[in-house]
Amino acid sequence: MGLGDIAGMLKQFRNMQSQMEEAKDRLEELEVEGISGGGMVTARTNGKGQLIGLKIDPQVVDAENVTFLEDLVVAAVRQAVEKSHELMQQEMQKAVGGIPGLGAMMGGKG
């Protein structure tokens, strides 16, 4: 491996770092939703999996059955977080997709 090869690899690495930072910034701005109970509870997360919103239909609020509401909230949040993880994986795959070998390590075809 010559100096030119090493310089090329360093350039690729710097480009990848820049692309990954851009992907992280995009993830913070992207939103996904998780819905449970036929839409009675909706949770929103950003692409990083951080909960940014929760909507609860007043009809589901019942002091006699708080457990049901808790289960709906957990289900909606879980779904939103799973979607955000999928989105994160896609964005990171895009960022490293051009680097041979790294794309495969991130779960893609690289």
Side-chain angles (χ1 to χ4, degrees):
M1 182 179 285
L3 288 177
D5 293 335
I6 292 173
M9 287 176 57
L10 286 173
K11 184 177 178 181
Q12 280 185 327
F13 180 73
R14 283 190 207 105
N15 286 340
M16 182 190 67
Q17 280 183 313
S18 174
Q19 290 171 348
M20 291 197 59
E21 286 302 315
E22 289 172 12
K24 287 179 184 178
D25 291 342
R26 280 192 308 271
L27 284 169
E28 198 161 328
E29 295 176 14
L30 296 174
E31 293 183 14
V32 294
E33 281 186 343
I35 299 171
S36 68
M40 291 188 282
V41 175
T42 302
R44 288 180 315 144
T45 62
N46 64 17
K48 291 184 172 185
Q50 298 166 328
L51 185 64
I52 58 174
L54 184 64
K55 181 181 174 193
I56 299 172
D57 186 321
Q59 294 177 8
V60 76
V61 179
D62 178 2
E64 301 294 319
N65 194 1
V66 174
T67 304
F68 178 65
L69 177 56
E70 291 170 343
D71 290 344
L72 290 177
V73 170
V74 168
V77 170
R78 183 176 290 139
Q79 185 183 77
V81 169
E82 286 174 7
K83 286 181 179 182
S84 69
H85 287 173
E86 291 170 9
L87 184 62
M88 185 184 312
Q89 187 175 18
Q90 291 169 4
E91 289 295 317
M92 290 300 127
Q93 177 61 36
K94 287 180 199 174
V96 300
I99 309 295
L102 284 179
M105 288 172 37
M106 295 292 293
K109 295 180 181 179

